[in-house]
Amino acid sequence: MTKFTIEEQVLRRIDRRFSKGVVQYGLIEEGDKILIGLSGGKDSLALVELLGRRARIFKPRFSVVAVHVVMKNIPYQSDLMYLRSHAEAFGIPLVVYETSFDPSTDTRKSPCFLCSWNRRKALFTVAKELGCNKIALGHHMDDILETLLMNITYQGAFSTMPPRLVMKKFDMTIIRPMCLVHESDLLELAELHQYQKQMKNCPYESQSSRSDMKGVLHQLEGMNPEARYSLWGSMTNIQEELLPDKIE
């Protein structure tokens, strides 16, 4: 019986979940040019590794470029040399794009929302300039389920971040190739491959609702170890006849 090292076991588990998500939701097609939003966190570093390794497989043939957005008015110190060497180790070029935002332009929105929105807008801009047709983001299964719980709790909406989202307005498709990968897998990968943690010093950062929902998800899994799979399945098992009618 073949014995695998701990690293091999982790990689096989991640690759299995990664491949299932890519195939099940049709995220990668022949000729795609995919832009990865590389923030420098463990999730985006893992996405570079996973997509870079997959791009070496003959079919479907696709190309990848990583983009790191620098928000000039936020003291977020990224090690650009490390990010570049990490991307290039998997055959992926890195583009650094600088931008900024003014938090006083829209006081209805939090600075975190405005910063995030401007980073996302920058990715669309660079994707167009580079001729990319898809943008890959590093959200994993936990992120998607936490967003589902947040939207139910705070927005009264049964919605989340889908694995594939066609943005017709921008003629671009957002994909989340790690949609079936667990955050615990990525924590193990980051430790095994010694991902370098980036220094973060944001004046607007505080405890968020997402952190609270991470705790809620863990509590649900404490009640039922299969809770994440039940939550995931519920998104495609809407039994409308057992729900209240919509009131106009």
Side-chain angles (χ1 to χ4, degrees), residues 36-244:
I36 297 176
L38 177 55
S39 67
K42 74 177 188 313
D43 302 332
S44 62
L45 291 170
L47 184 57
V48 164
E49 177 173 343
L50 295 170
L51 272 181
R53 284 201 274 115
R54 192 174 184 88
R56 293 169 180 165
I57 299 173
F58 185 70
K59 288 187 176 180
R61 287 172 292 186
F62 66 97
S63 58
V64 189
V65 59
V67 173
H68 178 71
V69 178
V70 175
M71 197 63 68
K72 291 186 290 186
N73 57 322
I74 298 292
Y76 189 126
Q77 299 173 14
S78 296
D79 186 337
L80 295 180
M81 285 185 64
Y82 171 73
L83 296 183
R84 193 177 302 281
S85 65
H86 178 77
E88 290 177 351
F90 298 99
I92 299 175
L94 175 69
V95 174
V96 178
Y97 183 88
E98 292 190 347
T99 186
S100 61
F101 77 102
D102 182 355
S104 66
T105 55
D106 189 349
T107 54
R108 296 170 301 173
K109 304 290 187 181
S110 70
C112 286
F113 175 88
L114 293 174
C115 180
S116 176
W117 170 245
N118 280 277
R119 286 179 186 277
R120 188 70 56 88
K121 209 161 63 167
L123 292 180
F124 277 105
T125 299
V126 181
K128 283 293 184 184
E129 289 176 355
L130 298 178
C132 298
N133 64 314
K134 290 178 180 175
I135 295 176
L137 301 177
H139 298 120
H140 44 68
M141 188 186 228
D142 296 58
D143 287 326
I144 293 172
L145 293 178
E146 288 157 14
T147 300
L148 172 68
L149 293 171
M150 284 174 63
N151 289 349
I152 292 172
T153 304
Y154 295 104
Q155 305 296 330
F158 197 80
S159 63
T160 189
M161 305 180 292
R164 178 187 175 102
L165 179 62
V166 178
M167 308 285 287
K168 293 181 180 178
K169 181 179 177 182
F170 298 98
D171 191 27
M172 191 71 59
T173 299
I174 300 289
I175 60 172
R176 296 178 170 92
M178 299 195 302
C179 58
L180 298 183
V181 178
H182 300 187
E183 183 173 26
S184 58
D185 294 331
L186 300 178
L187 287 167
E188 284 188 78
L189 182 66
E191 185 175 348
L192 283 167
H193 289 184
Q194 298 183 318
Y195 288 168
Q196 184 175 308
K197 195 170 183 179
Q198 303 298 296
M199 297 299 296
K200 195 172 184 181
N201 183 24
C202 178
Y204 305 114
E205 188 175 45
S206 60
Q207 186 75 0
S208 66
S209 299
R210 181 167 295 280
S211 300
D212 296 334
M213 284 304 160
K214 192 180 292 292
V216 170
L217 181 57
H218 289 159
Q219 286 180 6
L220 291 172
E221 288 188 295
M223 296 164 59
N224 172 19
E226 300 296 311
R228 69 170 54 232
Y229 302 112
S230 295
L231 285 169
W232 191 274
S234 73
M235 292 188 282
T236 53
N237 186 25
I238 310 296
Q239 300 176 13
E240 294 186 24
E241 68 276 11
L242 299 179
L243 295 171

